[in-house]
Amino acid sequence: MVPMDLSITFPTGPEYRQSLSDLKQLLFTEKMGNSDQILASIKNADVGHEANLRFQFLEKREVPTSEVNNIFYEFQKRHKSMNYNDLFKQKDSASSFFKRRKRTKGETVYRESKPLVKNQAHPALIRESYATIMHRVMTPKIIGNNRNKKKILKSLFRFMQTAKTESFSLLPLVKQINIESILWLTIEDQELKLIFVAKLMKWMFRFFVLLICRYFIITYVKEERVFCFIKELNRDIKRDLATKIKKGLLEECSEDSINSIETRMYMVPKADGFRTITRRKYPADELKSLRKSLRVLDFLFDKYLKTPDSVFNDAYVDVTIEANESSQKYYVTVTDIRDAFGSIIQNKLFDILTALFELLPEILEFTAFYGGKNYKYGFPQFINGKGGKRVTAQKRNILAMIEKTIFNTKVAMHNKLYNVCKGVTQGSILSSKLSDIYYLSMQRKYFADFRKSGRIFSHVDDIIYITANEEFAKQFLNRVEKGIPEYNCWFKKSKIVSNFSRDVAVFGESLENTIKFLGWSIDGTTLEAEPYVKCSIRHSISYSASLDIIKLKNRLKNLESIKVKEPALSKYINSNNKILSNINVIARLQAQRCFAIANSLSDTTILTLDAIAETNNKIMKKIKKITNWTKTEQLEYSKEIRHIFWKAYYATFIKKSDLFPNLIKTFRKLTRKNNVHKKRKIRKFVKRSSLVSKRARHM
């Protein structure tokens, strides 16, 4: 069999509709191509270099053309008569897809699933629409039979559920297709016949993706792919844009040509509205100045605003030690700032920065070295790196660049130019650090009393307050209820969560014993923490079909995404049983990440047992270091931890046993070898009576 490249990915980014322009020109324009051009586009589908060369060598004398044109002419006729607008438009009963009926014995039960964003098309609606297209447009003569149609639809639905940059291989589908049932494919050479079917499947899936890109806007909520109706979403975007102009957040201007503005603004749907994000390609000189400005802001934030106990992952252990020593009840409150970037008062932010910049000398010294693609800068410390050199910049120039970022930001959207009058645009290089400086300055002024009797941790717009003083906890809720008008800071009603109740409830306040904060789920009674994973880890991986063993190991050794941190593993926070439970979660995340990366590789033999064992050993060393177990405890739990990891790998990889058969056998052996809960086989001896034993002797 000739090796073929049948991997496809969902188009991403704002330019995703342009990625299928050739097929769009052929099928969805006034001057549509004829059946000959459709057949030619199928032949031109890319299925790998070797397969393409083999196909070009044989197609001239073996691929049929005249008898096939009639079949594709019928497809084109059905395609023209199909009303896709009615098929994919948002119906009055579209909400019924989120309330699916399940018939039982004489009863009808409704199962509700809340849409992630407004104007979301339920996957069931798209699945039913595609089933209709397969029935009405794709004629049985093209596909072969109904069994092939079901297999194509099943693969299509799996393809829709892939992660953002995850590739999907059509090779298993091509192997499952009953080629003999496709009667019009009268090719004697079986190898050429298989290549032609592979080209047909790739062309067909591009056709299905084109339909989605034409009638839906693809976005990602909590790393999950979401399809939104175009007309309704564009209507809401225009309405939200008009609201921003009315409130004075944006101001339409026409003094510059829109083509000269490189900053583009996008409104990305989210659960409670839209998130405004800007994207820009910076010129080289401006990018260097912005990187220097960012280093200065980092220095000011770390030295003058940030406190040693403000990082949750590092300082939460101190909170639990105090709680264990005092044996008092601790009160926990979590809240979220509403529209954190858009609520910033520009003049207030610049006054804060001006006061901080007075603490710096007039001439600022940086250490610059070339780190890959761009220059990186260290301030004021030197950064170890090859080619490092000392460069200087004037303080007023750095402040002027930050001032320009705050006050003179112009964005383009819908062929119009707008000036950002309030807030800071999310997506720029400095926006995240400017937001941290603004809100941490607010906390130092208004939350100073609360810090005396408790701990406040914050990250951008998320804030958590932990205290043993009930009065201060109630006062903090009162402060959250009133907001901080001086900083234009208001808190979301739906995100105020606490583990205690008051005599008078705060608006929107919810009482829960489990508090979720920055990917952690905190027990409101014991303060134990466990990793909180919102979605499958495969959605947060950047995929690449070509990875060498070194890059693969580096990907697997990244401990940030699998929560190998103190809140999950410290014995001062959690009991030993809880730590083992968290290790179970970590092992499962690591195995899922390894499987997702390996499954996307073009050459799966790169993944070896030695690479997995090496990364597992690094993770287990880190676990032992964080837990602070004694030598006795380490000996007691080391074998059990190994068993947890190999069991997680076996449970994950067994789902596709045909891809990694040798690894799966090894995982099973290592799981059994390290099983500390394995019960010994006890032989049961039945006592025979003396009479039976005597008879046995005489026999």
Side-chain angles (χ1 to χ4, degrees), residues 22-61:
D22 55 342
L23 194 60
K24 179 181 178 182
Q25 187 72 21
L26 185 64
L27 296 175
F28 290 95
T29 55
E30 294 181 359
K31 296 181 180 180
M32 296 173 61
N34 52 34
S35 56
D36 291 333
Q37 291 174 327
I38 294 175
L39 182 60
S41 67
I42 295 175
K43 292 179 182 180
N44 293 330
D46 185 17
V47 291
H49 181 66
E50 293 186 27
N52 289 335
L53 290 177
R54 178 69 172 164
F55 186 80
Q56 290 173 4
F57 176 73
L58 295 174
E59 67 163 332
K60 294 181 180 179
R61 58 185 178 87

Side-chain angles (χ1 to χ4, degrees), residues 166-181:
E166 183 180 4
S167 61
F168 182 81
S169 178
L170 296 177
L171 187 59
L173 171 63
V174 173
K175 291 180 179 179
Q176 293 173 7
I177 290 290
N178 185 3
I179 301 177
E180 301 301 327
S181 64

Side-chain angles (χ1 to χ4, degrees), residues 557-606:
K557 289 178 182 178
N558 181 16
L559 307 182
E560 185 69 25
S561 58
I562 59 174
K563 302 291 186 180
V564 184
K565 297 179 180 178
E566 281 196 352
L569 301 172
S570 175
K571 68 178 182 180
Y572 302 110
I573 299 175
N574 304 311
S575 61
N576 286 342
N577 289 334
K578 191 66 175 179
I579 291 174
L580 291 175
S581 176
N582 291 341
I583 292 173
N584 216 326
V585 176
I586 291 170
R588 189 171 68 249
L589 291 174
Q590 174 69 359
Q592 290 174 356
R593 178 173 64 175
C594 180
F595 177 76
I597 295 174
N599 194 28
S600 65
L601 294 174
S602 55
D603 183 12
T604 55
T605 58
I606 294 176

Side-chain angles (χ1 to χ4, degrees), residues 22-262:
D22 55 342
L23 194 60
K24 179 181 178 182
Q25 187 72 21
L26 185 64
L27 296 175
F28 290 95
T29 55
E30 294 181 359
K31 296 181 180 180
M32 296 173 61
N34 52 34
S35 56
D36 291 333
Q37 291 174 327
I38 294 175
L39 182 60
S41 67
I42 295 175
K43 292 179 182 180
N44 293 330
D46 185 17
V47 291
H49 181 66
E50 293 186 27
N52 289 335
L53 290 177
R54 178 69 172 164
F55 186 80
Q56 290 173 4
F57 176 73
L58 295 174
E59 67 163 332
K60 294 181 180 179
R61 58 185 178 87
E62 293 207 34
V63 175
T65 55
S66 57
E67 60 268 24
V68 178
N69 284 338
N70 294 330
I71 295 175
F72 283 99
Y73 175 76
E74 185 180 354
F75 158 76
Q76 189 181 33
K77 186 177 177 181
R78 292 189 179 199
H79 169 65
K80 286 181 180 179
S81 61
M82 187 69 184
N83 193 342
Y84 293 106
N85 290 320
D86 288 342
L87 186 65
F88 286 114
K89 77 176 182 180
Q90 187 173 14
K91 303 171 185 177
D92 295 336
S93 59
S95 60
S96 63
F97 284 95
F98 291 96
K99 191 183 287 186
R100 305 293 291 174
R101 289 189 298 175
K102 182 182 178 182
R103 293 183 179 179
T104 56
K105 298 178 181 179
E107 297 181 358
T108 301
V109 182
Y110 289 93
R111 296 182 301 170
E112 292 193 26
S113 59
K114 188 178 179 182
L116 296 176
V117 296
K118 192 179 179 182
N119 299 316
Q120 178 188 351
H122 197 280
L125 174 64
I126 301 177
R127 285 198 295 266
E128 292 184 10
S129 301
Y130 273 141
T132 305
I133 293 170
M134 288 291 293
H135 178 68
R136 295 184 183 178
V137 179
M138 294 293 175
T139 63
K141 293 181 181 179
I142 295 178
I143 302 171
N145 54 28
N146 287 331
R147 180 173 292 182
N148 289 346
K149 181 180 75 173
K150 290 179 180 178
K151 289 177 180 177
I152 292 171
L153 282 174
K154 190 174 181 180
S155 297
L156 179 63
F157 300 154
R158 288 179 178 174
F159 174 54
M160 291 170 57
Q161 296 172 354
T162 54
K164 187 173 182 179
T165 58
E166 183 180 4
S167 61
F168 182 81
S169 178
L170 296 177
L171 187 59
L173 171 63
V174 173
K175 291 180 179 179
Q176 293 173 7
I177 290 290
N178 185 3
I179 301 177
E180 301 301 327
S181 64
I182 307 176
L183 301 177
W184 58 269
L185 196 58
T186 56
I187 303 177
E188 296 180 1
D189 192 305
Q190 293 299 318
E191 188 178 41
L192 181 61
K193 204 171 187 178
L194 187 66
I195 296 174
F196 192 90
V197 171
K199 286 177 175 287
L200 177 64
M201 291 299 106
K202 199 156 189 179
W203 182 90
M204 192 178 295
F205 270 68
R206 291 179 74 244
F207 169 73
F208 289 135
V209 172
L210 175 60
L211 287 175
I212 288 182
C213 296
R214 185 174 175 83
Y215 295 97
F216 297 96
I217 288 180
I218 304 173
T219 185
Y220 294 87
V221 180
K222 297 178 181 178
E223 304 298 336
E224 183 177 343
R225 185 180 291 113
V226 174
F227 305 98
C228 300
F229 295 99
I230 284 183
K231 290 183 179 179
E232 289 74 10
L233 190 64
N234 286 336
R235 179 196 60 201
D236 291 345
I237 287 175
K238 291 179 180 178
R239 190 181 299 166
D240 190 76
L241 187 62
T243 304
K244 290 181 180 295
I245 296 173
K246 187 177 180 180
K247 290 183 177 180
L249 301 177
L250 297 174
E251 182 183 9
E252 189 173 348
C253 55
S254 58
E255 58 187 48
D256 294 327
S257 173
I258 193 170
N259 296 325
S260 64
I261 301 300
E262 299 178 353

